[in-house]
Amino acid sequence: MNKVFIAISILFLFTSCQKQSKEKEVENEDISAHWSYDGETGPEHWAELEGQTNCDGNFQSPINLVNFKVAENLQPIDLHYSKETILHDVANNGHSIQYDFEAGDFLIHESDTFHLKQFHFHEPAEHLIEGVRYPLEIHLVHQNDSKEFVVLSVMAKEGKNSEPFELLESYLPIKKGETKLIKKPFDISQNLPQHKGYFSYEGSLTTPPCSEEVTWIVFKEAIEVSLEQVELLKYLMPINNYRDEQPHHGRVVRSTSF
Ligand SMILES: [Zn+2]
């Protein structure tokens, strides 16, 4: 009897370990099966669809960046981006096209180090700048050791062809659920606007679990990408992969004086 019990226990342990590693592998897909950008799994249902989320919280993102206060003490962003940092892969997770970095790039925010993990796209933009919605928004997601986020947001408008974008898009197209290894250095600072003035406020991730541990830094100036470059991304991502603006609930939006 005991032997049978031990055998069953070992079998159970083995299969549950297997299941765990499998679960890790497909984590993105599992989550993507639960939520989307429209219909019964759309943003208004995120809070009920996903168990423990902040999606119905009071400090959600994105927002309309209006009624901001110019804060003289807001410093230029302390960026430490290198030409040598390795772009590891690009993935189509069913919600966006996402490029993942290896360790290397970081920024310093309030004396804390936030490492650049990945960047991805929303089309059209999620944040509004004084009511204006740009055709494309890029989120550069940084995280510190306490799992808090600083997300840099770069707006893009249609204009001239962007060379760094051309390089990024040379790894596309990519099918939903697919990941392509890149393993090449990429200088993300080439995708930032010249002028580094920004808006900042405290908010959340704009996708489930909508965690409210995000300092948002949204550049005032948009970069330019060509219509074709916008169209290629649009073709690969869900239509309108943006969340509607969320209430401010008394939050202060700060603006640099530059
Ligand atoms: Zn995003």
Side-chain angles (χ1 to χ4, degrees):
M1 187 63 187
N2 263 346
K3 275 182 191 165
V4 172
F5 177 73
I6 290 166
I8 290 173
S9 303
I10 289 171
L11 188 70
F12 175 75
L13 263 174
F14 178 69
T15 52
S16 69
C17 282
Q18 267 198 328
K19 192 164 171 266
Q20 248 182 14
S21 65
K22 186 83 183 154
E23 266 170 12
K24 261 194 176 157
E25 251 171 52
V26 295
E27 206 172 48
N28 278 341
E29 268 175 60
D30 277 349
I31 292 170
S32 71
H34 294 150
W35 64 272
S36 74
Y37 282 99
D38 70 338
E40 288 177 0
T41 53
E44 59 273 34
H45 301 288
W46 286 354
E48 61 201 66
L49 282 170
E50 303 284 330
Q52 292 158 330
T53 72
N54 289 135
C55 296
D56 53 357
N58 281 332
F59 304 104
Q60 290 290 292
S61 295
I63 60 169
N64 185 5
L65 298 158
V66 283
N67 303 326
F68 43 81
K69 290 196 166 59
V70 175
E72 299 291 341
N73 60 342
L74 271 188
Q75 299 298 312
I77 312 162
D78 191 3
L79 296 172
H80 297 261
Y81 290 164
S82 149
K83 287 186 173 72
E84 313 302 323
T85 307
I86 301 294
L87 196 55
H88 183 264
D89 62 68
V90 56
N92 183 342
N93 60 21
H95 307 299
S96 185
I97 302 296
Q98 179 175 315
Y99 290 83
D100 297 301
F101 276 99
E102 293 185 3
D105 287 350
F106 62 96
L107 59 79
I108 307 286
H109 175 72
E110 293 177 352
S111 311
D112 203 352
T113 303
F114 289 77
H115 301 277
L116 177 62
K117 301 288 183 183
Q118 48 102 340
F119 66 95
H120 60 266
F121 304 91
H122 296 272
E123 204 167 323
E126 298 205 292
H127 287 93
L128 304 172
I129 298 184
E130 298 192 281
V132 174
R133 192 185 296 284
Y134 282 89
L136 181 67
E137 182 172 347
I138 309 162
H139 288 161
L140 280 62
V141 181
H142 302 70
Q143 201 173 33
N144 68 2
D145 292 338
S146 315
K147 306 286 177 205
E148 295 159 330
F149 296 95
V150 170
V151 184
L152 288 193
S153 163
V154 181
M155 298 296 172
K157 59 183 179 187
E158 284 163 19
K160 60 179 190 298
N161 194 64
S162 153
E163 271 183 45
F165 243 70
E166 203 162 277
L167 180 68
L168 290 173
E169 291 193 337
S170 68
Y171 303 106
L172 305 177
I174 180 167
K175 284 191 217 120
K176 191 175 160 183
E178 195 186 345
T179 301
K180 274 186 199 170
L181 267 188
I182 297 177
K183 284 273 192 187
K184 292 209 173 80
F186 183 74
D187 183 6
I188 189 68
S189 62
Q190 289 183 57
N191 269 10
L192 302 183
Q194 291 282 326
H195 179 74
K196 299 289 193 292
Y198 61 88
F199 301 105
S200 183
Y201 77 98
E202 299 301 315
S204 74
L205 299 178
T206 65
T207 55
C210 312
S211 317
E212 293 179 336
E213 299 158 330
V214 183
T215 299
W216 280 95
I217 294 177
V218 181
F219 287 108
K220 294 178 185 180
E221 187 181 271
I223 61 166
E224 279 187 31
V225 297
S226 72
L227 177 62
E228 290 73 27
Q229 291 177 319
V230 173
E231 290 293 321
L232 175 56
L233 282 172
K234 191 184 238 172
Y235 168 73
L236 295 171
M237 301 193 297
I239 294 170
N240 295 329
N241 68 336
Y242 73 96
R243 186 188 196 192
D244 276 328
E245 67 178 276
Q246 303 293 304
H248 280 213
H249 286 301
R251 280 175 289 177
V252 176
V253 178
R254 296 187 300 162
S255 162
T256 53
S257 58
F258 50 91

